[in-house]
Amino acid sequence: MIDPTPAHHRAPHVHDDVDQRIDAALELLREDGGRVTTARRAIVTSLYRGQDHHVTAEDVAAAVQAQHPDVHLSTVYRTLDALERLAVVAKVDLGPGPAVYHLVDHVHHHLVCDRCGTVIEVPGKVIEPLAAALEARVGFVASPHRLTISGLCRSCR
Amino acid sequence: MIDPTPAHHRAPHVHDDVDQRIDAALELLREDGGRVTTARRAIVTSLYRGQDHHVTAEDVAAAVQAQHPDVHLSTVYRTLDALERLAVVAKVDLGPGPAVYHLVDHVHHHLVCDRCGTVIEVPGKVIEPLAAALEARVGFVASPHRLTISGLCRSCR
DNA sequence: ATAATTGCAAAGTCTTTGCAGTTTG
DNA sequence: CAAACTGCAAAGACTTTGCAATTAT
C-alpha cells in the first residue's frame, strides 16, 4: 500500500523522517553487500509508507505493482527475507494463511481471534513481566516482535 | 508413537486411566454423530499412548501405520480436525513447517527458539498474570493452549 | 567486470478436497 | 439402509529455488 496523500499535504517533518528511515534501510542492504534496485526501493518504500502494520508478501507485491507492474512476487519474498536478516522487518506466523511482515520498530504483539480472525495489537511492554519471568526461569529471551496469542476477542467471546 | 512397554510392565492404574481417556475421546466422536473406525481408534490411541507431547500429522500417521499400514495421511488430518473441533486436541502453528497437535489436557505454552528450533514447554500458569491483564485491558480471552513466543533459548543466546 | 538481483517457471511443503467404494450405527 | 468414513489422486495455498538475462557497484 502506498500512501496516496500528496507530499505537500503531509507534515514536512513526517515526510522527512520516513524518507530517512527508508534510506537507512536501503543503506543497510548496501552495507550488507547487496544492491539497491528499483524493486527493492519500491518494496521498502511501500513498507514505510503503507498504512497497514501487517502486510503479507502478496500485499506488498500488489502495492508495488501499482507503480512497477513487473516486480515479481518472488522478488518480494526474497527482499523481505533480506530485510528480515537485517532486522528491518519481522516475519510473523499468525496461524494458517500467509505470514505477515511488519517493521521491527513497531514493537507489539498479536492477539489472534480463533473465531473471527481479527488481529489485535498490544504494545510490547505488556509482556515485559512475562518476558522477565521466562528469562529468569528458563533462560529464554523472548523476541520483542514475535508473540502470538490465540483466543477469543471481545465480540466473539 | 506407540508406547512399546507391555501392559503388564506398566502400573495398572496408569493403564486404566489412559484407556479411559481414549474411550472418552472416542465417545465424544460418537456423540457428535461420528463413527468410530479402526483408523480413528488407532489415531486416538497413538495420541494418548505416544510419549511425545507435540506431534505432527505425519508423526501420527507414521505411528499408526506401524500397525495399520493403510491408514492414509489425509485420514489423519481429517481425524485430527474432528478432534480439534471436539476440543480433544489443540493445533498449534509453531512457525514454518507442519503444525503440531497436542492433547488439550496438557496445558502449556511454547517457546520456540529462532536459531535452533527447540521448543520449550512452559506450564500454563506462567502466563496467567498476562492473560488476566489482556482480558481486563482489551477483553481478549487467551486460549489456554495457544501461546507461542519466539526468541532465543539459553544455549543460542 | 563481476557479483548480486530479477522475472519466470517449476518444484516443494503442508494441507484440503472430490469421489467412488467401504464401513458403522 | 443411510450417513459417515476411507484411500487415493488431484488440487490448493504459500513459499522457495534454478536459471539465464539484466543491472548495480
Side-chain angles (χ1 to χ4, degrees):
Chain A
M1 251 326 136
I2 305 263
D3 183 342
T5 312
H8 62 282
H9 285 172
R10 277 187 251 108
H13 73 278
V14 168
H15 179 224
D16 292 353
D17 179 56
V18 172
D19 273 357
Q20 243 172 264
R21 290 158 73 200
I22 292 173
D23 286 346
L26 295 174
E27 189 51 33
L28 277 178
L29 283 170
R30 244 186 302 251
E31 279 168 13
D32 188 48
R35 310 276 157 92
V36 173
T37 63
T38 309
R40 286 179 162 196
R41 213 183 321 266
I43 290 165
V44 169
T45 300
S46 145
L47 290 172
Y48 281 96
R49 291 230 182 284
Q51 62 260 337
D52 205 345
H53 286 149
H54 301 111
V55 287
T56 64
E58 203 104 42
D59 292 339
V60 175
V64 165
Q65 284 163 2
Q67 316 283 331
H68 305 273
D70 40 331
V71 170
H72 197 275
L73 179 58
S74 68
T75 298
V76 174
Y77 273 111
R78 285 189 274 224
T79 301
L80 252 11
D81 268 12
L83 293 172
E84 193 193 7
R85 279 195 304 276
L86 297 171
V88 172
V89 301
K91 177 184 184 178
V92 191
D93 242 319
L94 254 31
V100 304
Y101 296 80
H102 61 77
L103 296 172
V104 298
D105 52 15
H106 178 51
V107 175
H108 66 279
H109 302 286
H110 305 99
L111 310 180
V112 183
C113 181
D114 285 336
R115 185 124 66 203
C116 67
T118 299
V119 177
I120 300 172
E121 294 185 18
V122 296
K125 55 157 48 153
V126 172
I127 67 135
E128 275 168 18
L130 173 62
L134 292 177
E135 179 156 3
R137 226 176 136 132
V138 270
F140 185 91
V141 182
S143 145
H145 308 286
R146 313 263 299 271
L147 178 112
T148 303
I149 304 182
S150 298
L152 294 176
C153 72
R154 191 194 296 280
S155 40
C156 289
R157 199 150 39 128
Chain B
M1 227 18 111
I2 305 262
D3 184 344
T5 312
H8 62 282
H9 286 171
R10 276 186 255 108
H13 73 278
V14 168
H15 178 224
D16 290 354
D17 178 54
V18 172
D19 272 358
Q20 243 172 264
R21 290 158 73 200
I22 292 173
D23 286 346
L26 296 174
E27 188 52 33
L28 278 177
L29 283 170
R30 243 185 304 250
E31 279 167 13
D32 188 48
R35 311 274 158 91
V36 173
T37 64
T38 307
R40 288 182 160 195
R41 213 184 320 266
I43 290 165
V44 170
T45 300
S46 144
L47 290 172
Y48 280 97
R49 291 228 181 286
Q51 63 259 336
D52 206 344
H53 286 149
H54 300 110
V55 287
T56 64
E58 202 105 42
D59 292 339
V60 174
V64 165
Q65 284 163 2
Q67 314 283 331
H68 306 273
D70 40 331
V71 170
H72 196 275
L73 180 57
S74 67
T75 299
V76 174
Y77 273 110
R78 285 189 273 226
T79 301
L80 253 10
D81 269 12
L83 293 172
E84 193 192 8
R85 280 196 304 276
L86 297 171
V88 172
V89 302
K91 176 184 186 178
V92 191
D93 242 319
L94 254 30
V100 303
Y101 297 80
H102 62 76
L103 296 172
V104 298
D105 51 15
H106 177 51
V107 174
H108 66 279
H109 302 287
H110 305 98
L111 310 180
V112 184
C113 180
D114 284 335
R115 185 124 66 202
C116 67
T118 300
V119 177
I120 301 172
E121 293 185 18
V122 296
K125 55 156 52 150
V126 172
I127 68 136
E128 276 169 17
L130 173 62
L134 292 177
E135 179 156 4
R137 231 177 133 129
V138 270
F140 185 91
V141 182
S143 144
H145 308 285
R146 312 265 300 272
L147 177 112
T148 303
I149 304 181
S150 299
L152 294 176
C153 72
R154 190 194 297 280
S155 39
C156 289
R157 214 158 18 142

